[in-house]
């Protein structure tokens, strides 16, 4: 079999960097699928690209399609043969429709019935005859998230397509798109390469492109960026953050990366570093650099798309731009400092949170009241004053110039402005920490003040958004309620805050005038989130259901209960404990309320050893269970309950509960009811079955 | 190269590429795109190549003449090439060479920046062009204007000429730009920045502006009904500027904003549709007038952002 290389280069104007990673993966998927469907064997498929070209390269592709044989099912034998055992009209029609001769018909059994099958054979075609269709299909199927037309409204791509190279070794594969026909002519780097360059053979492509100063492989460009960064780091004794997304983005903004070092005036380091970083990364796609002690240096690393005749020109140009931007940031910083956060509150009251929920300030006031109530309730009064102050100012930085310019530094600016206005460290930090954690794996609030405000803010968000009927559904969660619920739990668990969310949700509902129907949805939403989150931590479905049902109000205890289960689940006494609890439940579950009401314990009536035994076990263990419960020591509670297992199993073995003697029956039921009362301190054990 | 030489170089370059040179429009606009030479001319099947300077007013961007990079009144150099020629990017790079900016000495890039103007129901896809990290041009392929799909996709190039001049002259403060001889940009415009900022932020009569907005809007609608498409569009521009000044005065709440923008958009869209009809009735008189050796058509800058934070120069 002769093997050839296939080159397909779609030449474009600059495609947005943010699409390229996606487009490469998408095109690779489509190309692999289509090649498989075409039965074209190949050794290696490479899909890559630069801002100006998307490239598909298949190495050692078979010159011919693989042969094809397939059995196609037809009518059952009873309809395929007539009384003489000859093919019926139906059978012959079937053969004709499949283009096969009688010799290629056979019977096969399917689920006990014999059917006529046609064996369809197709000889592999020349790959060259299939490639035009294959490449045209790629162009059609690669639909970017955002497309445009430039001539023909029916021809769309991320940016205009300007040339196409399609080669089968050295043969041209004819394909066209939007009036552009494929040819041998590619283009080099816009500045460092030739405006037009011929690719005589597919395999020459990579070498020619490299001479044309185009590094087609995006992975290689990324490596060039990181190795360039390393050299610069050595030179200045600093470290640039390896922000992988920023590296990817930079790699997709250039055809030939030239990392370079720049610097700015040290005075700008007085501005909070988050602002400097946002300016460098977001506006300019620069990499900020830190010194060995982690402090931001007055340097940055940029990536040029041109090895300019004098890189100092590029460097100083970039420095000018950054200087202008930092000058702006310094201006906002100075301007904001003249307006204390508290003076911004009237302005904040004009910023709408949600149409039916009033202003952002109104929300922060609800949060303030909720936090005050919570702290009074749990007796955490030592931080009440700081929380009150921080909650009042919590969202004020939203209307500062700096946050208007850089929304991502909300919270950071609140903290920095608060510090400089003489607010206490606790207040200032709380204004920042209320947003923690900001993303999966982010740090948690260090202070309780920020944690409490963040908690109350998210509770308010969940209730408020449900209140106006915007509960999340499917992939729709515009107010980020799922994330809010997740953060609530992470904070409670991470800081070990044993807070009753049932009460907190209830108070929030009062403040928002949310009715019972709304609250049912809120709590169902919350419990589902809690369940999911606990499952993600690796807890089993059954134990999680039990813990959520019993302890959702106190998520910290739900988690501790599960941790205790994990510890004891394999202990030899645990299974008997579950069994006992379930047996007790099974019997009591069948009784009516009236029967239960008449179940009374009269110790004198007990006759059997087993029942006396159970009573004394109950008397003994009740106190132990209570003590363990008071300390939320779930392992001790389980252990204490497990001490009943023996007595219960003896009871079931030796005693007939449903005795005809109603007095005795009630007495025995009462014993079991006491057992259940104790088991219920954990929850419904039957969920573990 | 002083400021006016820079403008003259662009004028001369684009004249050579077959553009009609127009002059700034006589009504306040937020960007060159709003000039009817762009907004209206890009509609329909007629070719159109034009270049002009446009004073652009962004009341919220005023900084009282204290910020070296931000102005409430600055200049754009606007080029429309309709339809956009295949080599429009190369033509654009050539125009930089004409300004003495040789791409071989710099890092010039096309960085995604799509454009949308909700007040005119317009959008397009394109880039901001970076010169050594500085955005110097907005480059947009229009897709829709006034809610109307483009028959011929125009390329729009909007040069931020103060920025380019600052780069070329190696000046860090816009007011230090040499305009001509000893006359600096600050001599020409500093006082108007100080007063303009004070007026826009503090002095403008809010009640009057609201009244004017209503009057302009009513007049636009009234005369459009009587077939006065171009005058009606002039009143759309006046509406839009009144809105921008009210915005700078903080007189429009977030909730009201959408409503006002929607009112301007409705008028602008009506004008665009009426314009298309009018040209059709006239038999598309520009057909065939841009053929010949100068096939260039280039994109111009985008009217970016409703002003506030964006890149002012």
């Amino acid at each position: 079999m002769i093997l050839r290389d296939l080159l397909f280069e779609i030449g474009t104007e600059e495609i947005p960097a943010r699409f390229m990673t996606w487009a490469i993966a998408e095109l690779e998927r489509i190309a692999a699928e289509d090649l498989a469907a075409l039965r074209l064997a190949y050794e290696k498929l490479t899909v890559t690209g630069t801002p100006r070209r998307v490239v598909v390269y298949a190495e050692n592709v078979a010159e011919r399609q693989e042969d094809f044989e397939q059995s196609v099912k037809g009518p059952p034998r009873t309809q395929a043969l007539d009384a003489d055992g000859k093919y019926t009209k139906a059978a012959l029609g079937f053969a004709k429709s499949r283009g096969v001769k009688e010799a290629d018909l056979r019977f096969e059994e399917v689920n006990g019935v014999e059917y006529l099958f046609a064996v369809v054979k197709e000889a592999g075609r020349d790959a060259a005859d299939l490639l035009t269709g294959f490449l045209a299909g790629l162009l059609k199927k690669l639909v970017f998230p955002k497309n445009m037309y430039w001539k023909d409204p029916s021809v769309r791509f991320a940016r205009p397509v300007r040339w196409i190279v399609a080669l089968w070794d050295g043969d041209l594969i004819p394909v066209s798109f939007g009036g552009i026909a494929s040819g041998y002519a590619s283009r080099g780097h816009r500045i460092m390469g030739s405006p037009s360059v011929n690719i005589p053979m597919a395999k020459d492509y990579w070498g020619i492109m490299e001479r044309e100063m185009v590094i087609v492989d995006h992975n290689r460009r990324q490596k060039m960026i990181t190795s360039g960064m390393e050299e610069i780091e050595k030179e200045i004794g600093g470290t640039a953050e390896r922000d992988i997304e920023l590296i990817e983005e930079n790699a997709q903004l250039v055809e030939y990366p030239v990392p370079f070092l720049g610097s700015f005036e040290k005075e700008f380091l007085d501005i909070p570093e988050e602002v400097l970083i946002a300016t460098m990364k977001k506006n300019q796609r620069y990499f900020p650099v830190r010194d060995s002690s982690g402090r931001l240096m007055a340097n940055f690393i940029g990536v040029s798309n041109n090895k300019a005749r004098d890189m100092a020109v590029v460097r100083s140009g970039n420095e000018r731009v950054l200087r202008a931007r930092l000058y702006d940031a310094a201006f906002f910083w100075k301007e904001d400092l003249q307006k204390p956060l508290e003076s911004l509150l009237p302005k904040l009251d004009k910023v709408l949170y949600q149409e039916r929920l009033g202003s952002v300030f109104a929300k922060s006031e609800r949060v303030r009241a909720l936090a005050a109530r919570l702290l009074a309730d749990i007796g955490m009064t030592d931080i009440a004053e700081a929380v009150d102050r921080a909650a009042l100012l919590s969202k004020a930085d939203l209307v500062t110039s700096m946050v208007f310019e850089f929304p991502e530094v909300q919270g950071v600016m609140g903290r920095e402005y608060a510090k400089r206005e003489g607010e206490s460290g606790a207040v200032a930090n709380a204004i920042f920490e209320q947003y923690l954690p900001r993303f999966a794996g982010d740090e948690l609030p260090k202070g309780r003040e920020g944690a409490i405000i963040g908690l109350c803010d998210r509770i308010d968000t969940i209730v408020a958004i449900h209140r106006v009927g915007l509960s999340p559904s499917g992939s729709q969660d515009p107010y980020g309620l799922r994330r809010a619920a997740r953060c609530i739990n992470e904070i409670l668990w991470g800081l070990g805050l044993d807070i009753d969310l049932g009460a907190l949700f209830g108070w929030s509902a009062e403040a928002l005038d949310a009715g019972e129907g709304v609250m049912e949805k809120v709590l169902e939403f919350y419990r589902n989130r809690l369940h999911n989150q606990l499952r993600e931590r690796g807890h089993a479905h059954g134990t999680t259901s039990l813990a959520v049902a019993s302890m959702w109000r106190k998520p910290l205890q739900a988690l501790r209960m599960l941790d205790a289960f994990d510890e004891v689940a394999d202990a030899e006494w645990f299974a008997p404990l579950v069994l006992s609890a379930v047996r007790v439940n099974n019997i009591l579950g069948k009784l009516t309320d009236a029967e239960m009401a008449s179940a009374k314990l009269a110790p004198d009536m007990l006759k059997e050893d087993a029942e006396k035994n159970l009573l004394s076990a109950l008397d003994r263990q009740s106190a132990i269970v209570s003590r363990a419960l008071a300390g939320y020591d779930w392992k001790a509670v389980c252990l204490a309950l497990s001490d009943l297992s023996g007595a219960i199993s003896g009871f079931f073995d030796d005693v007939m509960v449903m005795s005809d003697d109603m007095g005795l029956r009630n007495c025995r039921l009462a014993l079991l009811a006491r057992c259940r009362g104790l088991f219920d301190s954990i929850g419904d054990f039957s969920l573990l079955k | 190269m002083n400021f006016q030489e820079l403008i003259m170089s662009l004028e001369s370059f684009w004249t050579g590429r077959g553009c009609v040179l127009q002059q700034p429009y006589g009504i306040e606009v937020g960007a060159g795109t709003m000039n009817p030479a762009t907004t209206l001319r890009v509609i329909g099947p007629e070719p159109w190549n034009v270049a002009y300077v446009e004073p652009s007013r962004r009341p919220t961007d005023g900084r009282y003449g204290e910020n070296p990079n931000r102005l409430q009144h600055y200049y754009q150099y606007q080029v429309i090439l309709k339809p956009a020629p295949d080599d429009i990017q190369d033509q654009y790079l050539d125009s930089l060479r004409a300004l003495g900016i040789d791409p071989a000495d710099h890092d010039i890039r096309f960085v995604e920046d799509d454009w949308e103007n909700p007040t005119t129901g317009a959008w397009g896809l394109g880039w901001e062009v970076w010169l050594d990290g500085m955005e110097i041009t907005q480059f947009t392929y229009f897709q829709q204007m006034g809610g109307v799909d483009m028959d011929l996709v125009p390329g729009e190039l909007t040069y931020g000429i103060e920025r380019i001049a600052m780069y070329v002259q190696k000046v860090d403060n816009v007011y230090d730009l040499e305009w001509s001889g000893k006359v600096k940009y600050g001599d020409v415009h500093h006082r108007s920045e100080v007063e303009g900022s004070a007026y826009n932020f503090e002095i403008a009569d809010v009640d009057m502006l609201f009244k004017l907005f209503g009057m302009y809007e009513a007049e636009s609608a009234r005369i459009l009904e009587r077939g006065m498409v171009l005058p009606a569009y002039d009143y759309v521009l006046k509406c839009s500027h009144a809105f921008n000044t009210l915005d700078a005065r903080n007189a429009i709440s977030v909730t009201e904003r959408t409503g006002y923008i929607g009112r301007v958009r409705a008028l602008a869209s009506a004008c665009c549709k009426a314009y298309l009809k009018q040209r059709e009735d006239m038999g598309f008189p520009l057909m065939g007038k841009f053929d010949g050796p100068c096939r260039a058509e280039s994109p111009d800058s985008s009217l970016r952002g409703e002003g506030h934070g964006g890149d002012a120069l």
Side-chain angles (χ1 to χ4, degrees):
Chain A
M1 173 71 77
I2 300 172
L3 303 174
R4 291 187 181 221
D5 281 5
L6 169 72
L7 165 68
F8 186 43
E9 181 191 51
I10 308 165
T12 66
E13 295 183 359
E14 279 76 352
I15 294 177
R18 67 190 169 105
F19 293 159
M20 282 303 290
T21 305
W22 169 87
I24 288 168
E26 176 73 358
L27 193 56
E28 183 159 1
R29 183 185 66 76
I30 299 170
E33 266 179 29
D34 288 4
L35 284 171
L38 285 171
R39 307 194 311 279
L40 280 177
Y42 56 89
E43 190 175 309
K44 188 178 166 199
L45 177 67
T46 303
V47 178
T48 186
T50 76
R52 290 182 76 205
R53 60 202 86 219
V54 182
V55 176
V56 177
Y57 196 94
E59 253 169 81
N60 291 333
V61 186
E63 211 179 25
R64 277 171 57 84
Q65 233 181 351
E66 282 157 27
D67 293 339
F68 175 77
E69 188 178 307
Q70 187 190 18
S71 286
V72 182
K73 191 172 138 193
R77 185 183 187 106
T78 47
Q79 288 169 34
L81 294 178
D82 62 19
D84 305 330
K86 296 205 172 126
Y87 286 125
T88 60
K89 270 187 187 168
L92 295 172
F94 165 70
K96 197 176 165 197
S97 75
R98 295 296 163 177
V100 300
K101 300 193 178 98
E102 276 186 43
D104 293 323
L105 292 174
R106 67 168 75 125
F107 287 100
E108 275 175 43
E109 199 179 289
V110 180
N111 296 328
V113 181
E114 268 194 300
Y115 287 91
L116 184 67
F117 277 80
V119 180
V120 181
K121 287 181 194 152
E122 201 181 289
R125 293 167 62 197
D126 223 349
D129 298 338
L130 305 165
L131 293 175
T132 294
F134 166 59
L135 298 183
L138 295 185
L139 278 163
K140 204 170 138 194
K141 289 178 196 169
L142 181 63
V143 179
F144 285 85
K146 204 170 176 187
N147 297 283
M148 61 171 285
Y149 68 101
W150 55 98
K151 276 208 175 78
D152 176 352
S154 70
V155 174
R156 289 171 189 255
F157 212 69
R159 289 294 182 273
V161 173
R162 295 302 184 196
W163 77 89
I164 296 172
V165 177
L167 297 181
W168 180 227
D169 270 355
D171 298 342
L172 187 71
I173 305 167
V175 59
S176 76
F177 187 69
I180 304 287
S182 57
Y184 288 92
S186 179
R187 300 188 191 178
H189 187 278
R190 201 187 268 295
I191 308 302
M192 296 186 282
S194 327
S196 180
V197 55
N198 265 350
I199 314 291
M201 290 286 289
K203 65 176 169 45
D204 300 334
Y205 177 71
W206 307 97
I208 292 176
M209 278 303 134
E210 195 134 348
R211 282 199 293 285
E212 288 293 328
M213 300 304 275
V214 175
I215 307 297
V216 181
D217 178 358
H218 59 286
N219 293 315
R220 256 194 74 202
R221 291 198 305 281
Q222 290 188 24
K223 281 193 197 114
M224 285 169 76
I225 291 175
T226 43
S227 63
M229 278 164 73
E230 281 161 18
E231 272 172 43
I232 294 171
E233 286 170 336
K234 264 184 232 151
E235 187 186 316
I236 58 168
T239 313
E241 189 199 339
R242 296 291 188 275
D243 179 333
I244 184 65
E245 280 176 24
L246 193 60
I247 293 173
E248 271 180 22
E249 187 182 6
N250 266 293
Q252 290 300 2
L253 280 168
V254 300
E255 294 213 280
Y256 190 97
V258 185
F260 64 93
L261 172 72
S263 62
F264 54 85
E265 287 70 14
K266 289 206 167 58
E267 295 90 275
F268 288 124
L269 291 172
D270 293 342
I271 304 171
E273 70 165 45
E274 287 87 348
V275 173
L276 300 178
I277 292 172
T279 306
M280 284 188 263
K281 286 170 78 162
K282 191 180 109 180
N283 296 127
Q284 299 297 134
R285 277 81 159 183
Y286 299 151
F287 297 88
V289 186
R290 292 181 188 278
D291 66 17
S292 53
S293 61
R295 273 190 305 262
L296 215 55
M297 296 173 75
N299 288 108
F300 64 89
I301 297 174
V303 181
S304 169
N305 185 34
N306 183 27
K307 204 183 265 178
R309 284 187 277 233
D310 179 3
M311 278 304 287
V313 174
V314 173
R315 169 183 171 144
S316 77
N318 277 277
E319 289 173 346
R320 276 190 71 244
V321 184
L322 183 62
R323 194 181 308 132
R325 289 200 183 273
L326 293 180
Y327 181 93
D328 262 5
F331 176 84
F332 294 139
W333 173 239
K334 227 170 66 193
E335 192 182 61
D336 286 342
L337 282 176
Q338 280 159 23
K339 295 179 216 144
L341 290 173
E342 193 163 359
S343 74
L344 299 175
L345 297 179
K347 200 172 165 193
L348 189 66
D349 200 20
K350 286 186 183 152
V351 179
L352 199 66
Y353 171 62
Q354 198 277 339
E355 248 170 89
R356 290 158 60 200
L357 292 167
S359 71
V360 174
F361 179 64
K363 183 181 198 309
S364 73
E365 283 294 273
R366 284 199 304 273
V367 170
R368 185 157 76 113
L370 191 60
R373 198 163 172 182
L374 171 64
L375 293 180
D377 186 65
I378 60 177
M380 204 186 272
T381 47
D382 58 319
I383 60 166
E385 203 179 314
V387 166
D388 187 67
R389 182 71 187 162
L392 176 73
L393 303 177
S394 58
K395 299 288 190 289
D397 65 345
L398 184 61
V399 290
T400 61
S401 309
M402 193 75 91
V403 174
F404 191 95
E405 198 68 12
F406 303 103
E408 66 271 35
V409 294
Q410 191 182 4
V412 170
M413 296 323 297
R415 177 189 66 201
E416 297 303 319
Y417 293 137
K419 266 189 210 164
R420 277 155 187 84
E421 287 165 20
E423 301 290 348
S424 69
V427 168
N429 287 331
I431 294 175
F432 169 66
E433 293 189 344
Q434 63 173 318
Y435 297 106
L436 300 182
R438 290 159 297 187
F439 46 85
D442 191 20
E443 56 179 336
L444 292 173
K446 290 191 185 67
R448 286 172 296 152
E449 295 86 350
I452 293 291
I453 295 173
L455 200 63
C456 292
D457 188 24
R458 292 172 178 110
I459 294 278
D460 180 85
T461 303
I462 292 174
V463 176
I465 297 302
H466 275 87
R467 163 88 172 74
V468 294
L470 295 172
S471 338
S473 65
S475 60
Q476 298 293 306
D477 184 12
Y479 289 86
L481 301 196
R482 290 175 185 143
R483 220 182 69 77
R486 171 176 297 275
C487 291
I488 288 171
N489 296 330
E490 280 179 18
I491 291 170
L492 295 178
W493 294 337
L495 277 80
L497 292 172
D498 197 7
I499 286 172
D500 180 350
L501 287 192
L504 204 50
F505 274 122
W507 299 329
S508 177
E510 273 174 40
L512 281 156
D513 199 18
E516 265 179 44
V518 171
M519 290 316 287
E520 256 173 52
K521 278 194 190 145
V522 166
L523 298 183
E524 192 196 335
F525 163 79
Y526 173 72
R527 283 190 293 253
N528 279 335
R529 301 321 303 167
L530 177 62
H531 192 278
N532 278 1
Q533 208 171 335
L534 288 167
R535 292 280 285 128
E536 279 169 25
R537 291 173 74 108
H539 295 293
H541 180 78
T543 47
T544 303
S545 300
L546 190 162
V548 170
S550 308
M551 275 294 143
W552 67 267
R553 293 175 148 261
K554 293 196 149 204
L556 182 67
Q557 295 310 334
L559 180 69
R560 290 191 177 163
M561 186 187 267
L562 284 170
D563 288 342
F565 282 150
D566 280 353
E567 253 184 82
V568 303
D570 294 330
E572 56 191 23
W573 51 264
F574 191 69
L577 162 64
V578 175
L579 184 68
S580 311
V582 171
R583 289 176 81 180
V584 170
N585 256 354
N586 284 348
I587 289 213
L588 296 180
K590 288 174 193 142
L591 302 182
T592 64
D593 289 350
E595 281 171 312
M596 280 307 295
S598 50
K600 290 228 174 52
L601 185 63
D604 299 345
M605 289 181 68
L606 298 178
K607 292 178 192 150
E608 311 286 342
D609 283 349
E611 51 193 0
K612 288 181 192 158
N613 204 11
L614 179 56
L615 178 61
S616 71
L618 278 168
D619 287 341
R620 189 178 67 239
Q621 294 308 110
S622 292
I624 301 173
V625 169
S626 300
R627 256 199 316 280
L629 265 182
Y632 288 115
D633 184 343
W634 299 108
K635 190 179 166 189
V637 175
C638 289
L639 263 170
L641 291 174
S642 78
D643 267 12
L644 295 172
S645 302
I648 290 172
S649 108
F651 177 82
F652 280 123
D653 289 348
D654 300 349
V655 176
M656 172 73 184
V657 179
M658 302 311 266
S659 160
D660 291 338
D661 175 344
M662 288 309 286
L664 203 53
R665 177 195 290 198
N666 282 334
C667 210
R668 288 170 178 166
L669 287 173
L671 266 181
L672 292 179
R674 267 190 73 184
C675 291
R676 182 164 75 176
L678 284 185
F679 289 131
D680 277 353
S681 56
I682 288 281
D684 181 359
F685 276 95
S686 54
L687 288 169
L688 302 189
K689 294 291 283 182
Chain B
M1 185 179 281
N2 66 33
F3 192 61
Q4 67 192 35
E5 284 163 351
L6 187 142
I7 292 173
M8 287 189 292
S9 301
L10 286 171
E11 299 272 58
S12 146
F13 178 86
W14 287 110
T15 299
R17 303 289 172 122
C19 284
V20 167
L21 279 195
Q22 281 203 225
Q23 303 302 317
Y25 205 53
I27 295 176
E28 301 97 325
V29 292
T33 311
M34 306 277 288
N35 183 323
T38 292
T39 299
L40 298 181
R41 294 286 189 192
V42 296
I43 293 168
E46 295 169 278
W48 178 244
N49 296 334
V50 70
Y52 54 87
V53 175
E54 191 66 53
S56 304
R57 289 172 168 86
R58 308 248 173 121
T60 49
D61 278 351
R63 292 292 183 272
Y64 296 86
E66 288 167 15
N67 184 300
N69 300 298
R70 280 183 194 243
L71 303 167
Q72 51 87 40
H73 169 289
Y74 69 104
Y75 295 97
Q76 292 181 339
Y77 195 85
Q78 169 93 351
V79 180
I80 290 289
L81 302 179
K82 174 194 175 193
D86 291 352
D87 64 346
I88 182 166
Q89 286 183 305
D90 294 330
Q91 293 201 32
Y92 168 74
L93 292 176
D94 284 343
S95 77
L96 293 185
R97 291 187 181 98
L99 298 178
I101 298 170
D102 183 343
D105 292 330
H106 300 278
D107 177 25
I108 291 174
R109 290 209 240 167
F110 296 85
V111 179
E112 177 193 17
D113 191 31
D114 298 339
W115 167 80
E116 182 181 18
N117 184 359
T119 58
T120 51
W123 67 279
L125 266 53
W127 309 274
E128 45 185 52
V129 182
W130 285 15
L131 167 63
D132 298 334
M134 176 172 63
E135 179 192 344
I136 54 166
T137 302
Q138 290 273 334
F139 189 139
T140 307
Y141 290 107
F142 287 155
Q143 302 283 290
Q144 248 190 12
M145 180 65 80
V148 179
D149 284 338
M150 298 288 94
D151 279 325
L152 296 178
V153 174
E156 179 198 55
L157 299 166
T158 303
Y159 298 78
I161 46 182
E162 284 91 346
R163 286 186 174 204
I164 297 174
M166 285 167 74
Y167 194 97
V168 171
Q169 295 185 22
K170 300 195 186 340
V171 161
D172 282 336
N173 187 325
V174 65
Y175 298 107
D176 293 336
L177 274 180
E178 185 192 318
W179 187 299
S180 163
K182 290 182 183 160
V183 178
K184 305 272 190 205
Y185 194 95
D187 293 323
V188 180
H189 279 306
H190 187 265
R191 184 68 201 170
S192 58
E193 280 302 308
V194 176
E195 290 186 16
S197 302
Y199 174 77
N200 294 330
F201 289 130
E202 304 164 33
I203 315 274
D205 183 335
V206 169
D207 289 339
M208 178 199 74
L209 288 168
F210 273 123
K211 261 184 231 145
L212 285 178
F213 183 95
M215 289 165 74
Y216 293 150
E217 182 188 32
E219 183 69 350
S220 178
R222 185 182 75 87
I223 63 181
L224 187 60
E225 263 184 33
R226 303 185 54 179
M228 298 294 105
V229 179
L230 304 177
Y233 182 71
D234 288 349
Y235 278 99
V236 173
L237 295 179
K238 288 170 188 283
C239 257
S240 171
H241 184 62
F243 170 82
N244 287 341
T245 313
L246 283 165
D247 202 23
R249 287 286 277 126
N250 244 329
I252 296 177
S253 73
V254 182
T255 21
E256 294 165 330
R257 230 184 124 73
T258 326
Y260 278 98
I261 290 175
R263 283 159 70 180
V264 180
R265 181 173 55 239
L267 282 178
S269 297
C271 289
C272 289
K273 287 179 180 92
Y275 175 82
L276 180 58
K277 177 79 178 31
Q278 182 183 68
R279 300 300 293 182
E280 194 179 351
D281 292 346
M282 291 165 69
F284 297 124
L286 281 171
M287 291 304 253
K289 295 205 174 164
F290 288 89
D291 294 345
C294 304
R295 70 222 160 357
E297 291 182 356
S298 86
D300 195 331
S301 78
S302 62
L303 187 178
R304 208 161 69 117
E306 288 314 296
H308 198 100
D311 299 291
L313 288 189

